[in-house]
Amino acid sequence: MKKAFVLFALCLVLVLGAVSIAFFHLHQDRNQVTVTAETLAGDPTQAAGLTAKQSAQYNGRLRWDLTIPLDRPEATATEFSYHQTPIGEPQPSHDLYMYVPNGTRFFHGSSTLEDAVEGSPEQKPLLPMFQDVASRTPNGKRYSETVTLKDYVDCYPLVVDLGGLPYGVLHSGEGSAKDPFWDDFAISQAFQDFFSFPVPEDEAWTVTIEKDDQGNLLELSTECPYPAFSPNVISTFSEDSLFFTFDQYSAANFEHTPGGFGLYRLGLVREGDSVFLDLDSLANVHPLPENAVVLDLTDSCDGQTLLLTYCLGKDYTCEVLDPETMTVLQSFPVPADPPSPVMVHTEDTQGNEISYEETHWDLNGSLPGENFLVLYGDARFHLFSLENGTYTYEFSAPMEEHMLYYPYELLSGAWNGETLALASVSESTTGLSLSMFEAGELVYQGIYETSLNDAPVDQENPDNSYYFDPVHLLSGSKLTLTWA
């Protein structure tokens, strides 16, 4: 026992010693951060007057704020600071998720079916289906049966997840003032009642139930068809509203939804650090044609307008909306390619190969700036300048590899009326990748790396240096671009 303790203590000392070395190394070099650039295309003098700002942290204590002249990275200015309390805490998500309850749950002890569902309120609408299958499940056995969902519920049960933020609910009871309280089920129930997405007549679910010898519940699982019904939500926030809609991957039926398909609003009331949802305010505030396919929803850089991009037939449109009145301030076409069919090859939960056809749209994201808007897809992006509240088409150009999704993030852009700069960062390193365009042509592309990525390693065992934490970009300050 003593020997084991001594070995454990020795390992702990080695690990802590290595971490201390890394900390000391970074602290000693705090004001000596160097930035180097590799030119991939064009001339770096095109970046004259363009500056990148980037903040990084190590171990939640050390912070570096870098100002990088992108035509002269060797002239980078560094501000170093040490913090007593941790910095760079992850910010909570502002996304809205909506899905149908599905999956497997295991139980120990003397759980009844009713108790199990009581602990998961979102499953309550499915209780009659569970009870029916349970009635044919012998004690001490595991039993599966495929049933028609429509025989038990008319509309899908929904679970609504608001990204872990401290939300409460403003619930108006009869004859009483609105009383703030926390209730996940009330949120899900309000959305379920409002949308009432009808279940198809032939949709079949497989229910599995296992009981012990006394009839107590040991397992309850559901498996729905692949791909499962899961309305994919796009959302954005203003000070007093949550705006959301459903994107191209949501095969939902809005025939029972008040106002039909469109852009929906839910009122917010802020009290200190808490946000309360006014569930009674849920409404369709901007109806859209049933066959419109929404591709993007965001707010402008100053937060004064909403930008809604959708495809109707072969035509792509971006609408600029006043979030207070929902007036369409501007509507303009986007020169994207028409939708096209693609085959998707994947596997179901049992490992069986599945192939099905999907539609591919030429737009899937946006980057709003102070004086521009970039709408982009997998192949091309489209630049619109912004002047006096009006967007004007400038040019389109191919997407460069670093501007696509994983492992990169398209974070920042800058437009000076002639040249557009678009930059991205990797998930795991400081520095950036930069592409610059004029009249739709790539005029410069470079990769910038910083010495903060040069973490010390165990020279004798370089493969065992996992205990050195890398320097991370600081959440909320990963990258900004500005023209002088």
Side-chain angles (χ1 to χ4, degrees):
M1 186 70 175
K2 279 186 178 180
K3 184 177 180 181
F5 176 78
V6 170
L7 288 174
F8 171 77
L10 180 59
C11 290
L12 183 61
V13 167
L14 289 173
V15 170
L16 291 177
V19 173
S20 298
I21 292 170
F23 190 92
F24 177 77
H25 173 86
L26 290 168
H27 196 279
Q28 286 293 99
D29 294 345
R30 59 190 180 275
N31 293 319
Q32 301 173 17
V33 178
T34 59
V35 180
T36 57
E38 177 187 359
T39 298
L40 301 182
D43 185 351
T45 60
Q46 293 281 348
L50 182 65
T51 299
K53 290 189 176 182
Q54 188 171 71
S55 297
Q57 60 93 11
Y58 173 76
N59 203 30
R61 304 289 181 176
L62 308 184
R63 172 171 176 163
W64 296 265
D65 295 301
L66 307 180
T67 301
I68 309 169
L70 292 170
D71 63 327
R72 297 174 294 109
E74 68 278 2
T76 295
T78 304
E79 291 186 10
F80 170 81
S81 55
Y82 172 76
H83 297 258
Q84 292 288 342
T85 56
I87 58 173
E89 294 296 328
Q91 298 298 313
S93 168
H94 282 67
D95 293 328
L96 168 66
Y97 300 97
M98 192 181 302
Y99 56 93
V100 171
N102 182 45
T104 303
R105 297 185 65 205
F106 298 97
F107 306 90
H108 301 283
S110 57
S111 295
T112 67
L113 186 61
E114 290 70 23
D115 288 342
V117 172
E118 188 68 29
S120 299
E122 69 276 4
Q123 302 264 16
K124 284 183 178 180
L126 300 176
L127 181 58
M129 180 175 70
F130 299 149
Q131 290 171 327
D132 186 31
V133 176
S135 69
R136 290 183 288 277
T137 304
N139 290 352
K141 299 293 183 180
R142 187 175 187 270
Y143 174 72
S144 295
E145 184 177 337
T146 299
V147 297
T148 303
L149 184 61
K150 186 74 170 179
D151 291 341
Y152 306 95
V153 292
D154 292 324
C155 299
Y156 284 107
L158 294 176
V159 180
V160 176
D161 183 354
L162 287 155
L165 291 179
Y167 286 105
V169 178
L170 288 174
H171 181 72
S172 54
E174 290 186 12
S176 64
K178 292 185 176 181
D179 176 34
F181 69 101
W182 173 267
D183 191 341
D184 286 330
F185 179 62
I187 298 172
S188 296
Q189 188 67 48
F191 277 74
Q192 179 181 316
D193 293 345
F194 182 83
F195 289 103
S196 297
F197 293 126
V199 174
E201 295 288 340
D202 59 349
E203 180 164 326
W205 285 32
T206 299
V207 179
T208 300
I209 291 177
E210 183 178 1
K211 298 178 181 178
D212 65 15
D213 292 337
Q214 286 73 46
N216 299 313
L217 189 65
L218 297 178
E219 178 188 341
L220 171 63
S221 68
T222 53
E223 184 177 350
C224 51
Y226 186 90
F229 173 75
S230 181
N232 209 42
V233 182
I234 315 175
S235 59
T236 189
F237 285 75
S238 69
E239 183 64 24
D240 62 357
S241 299
L242 161 64
F243 294 96
F244 67 96
T245 186
F246 299 86
D247 72 5
Q248 66 268 38
Y249 301 110
S250 300
N253 184 328
F254 295 88
E255 63 178 300
H256 300 316
T257 302
F261 178 61
L263 179 61
Y264 307 92
R265 177 188 179 275
L266 184 63
L268 307 178
V269 177
R270 299 179 183 270
E271 295 183 7
D273 293 332
S274 297
V275 180
F276 296 99
L277 307 176
D278 185 358
L279 297 180
D280 298 332
S281 69
L282 183 58
N284 183 339
V285 291
H286 183 62
L288 291 168
E290 185 76 26
N291 53 344
V293 178
V294 175
L295 302 169
D296 192 69
L297 171 66
T298 188
D299 55 328
S300 58
C301 192
D302 60 6
Q304 298 302 304
T305 59
L306 296 175
L307 303 170
L308 176 69
T309 306
Y310 62 89
C311 180
L312 186 59
K314 297 180 178 181
D315 300 322
Y316 296 81
T317 300
C318 182
E319 291 185 340
V320 184
L321 304 169
D322 183 325
E324 296 298 326
T325 64
M326 299 311 297
T327 302
V328 179
L329 304 176
Q330 185 184 358
S331 179
F332 55 88
V334 183
D337 291 335
S340 58
V342 295
M343 289 301 299
V344 177
H345 305 282
T346 185
E347 294 182 352
D348 64 14
T349 55
Q350 306 301 318
N352 302 311
E353 292 187 3
I354 295 177
S355 296
Y356 57 93
E357 187 176 276
E358 278 190 351
T359 301
H360 176 265
W361 285 270
D362 197 35
L363 292 178
N364 54 33
S366 63
L367 177 65
E370 290 183 0
N371 62 343
F372 72 93
L373 170 66
V374 169
L375 298 173
Y376 59 87
D378 295 330
R380 293 193 303 160
F381 72 85
H382 314 276
L383 170 66
F384 298 83
S385 61
L386 174 61
E387 187 173 357
N388 298 323
T390 300
Y391 289 93
T392 303
Y393 174 71
E394 295 292 339
F395 60 76
S396 301
M399 290 284 284
E400 298 298 318
E401 182 179 359
H402 75 88
M403 293 156 50
L404 297 172
Y405 291 121
Y406 181 87
Y408 302 101
E409 297 178 62
L410 181 61
L411 286 182
S412 188
W415 165 249
N416 65 0
E418 180 179 352
T419 305
L420 174 70
L422 295 175
S424 61
V425 296
S426 174
E427 288 187 340
S428 57
T429 58
T430 59
L432 63 135
S433 295
L434 172 69
S435 292
M436 302 180 68
F437 304 85
E438 289 182 2
E441 299 295 327
L442 180 69
V443 295
Y444 170 62
Q445 186 174 86
I447 297 177
Y448 296 77
E449 294 187 357
T450 85
S451 58
L452 289 172
N453 297 329
D454 299 332
V457 297
D458 182 345
Q459 297 297 333
E460 294 183 2
N461 300 288
D463 294 335
N464 295 329
S465 297
Y466 59 88
Y467 42 73
F468 290 113
D469 290 332
V471 175
H472 292 286
L473 292 175
L474 192 62
S475 178
S477 303
K478 293 183 177 181
L479 182 65
T480 57
L481 295 181
T482 55
W483 284 103

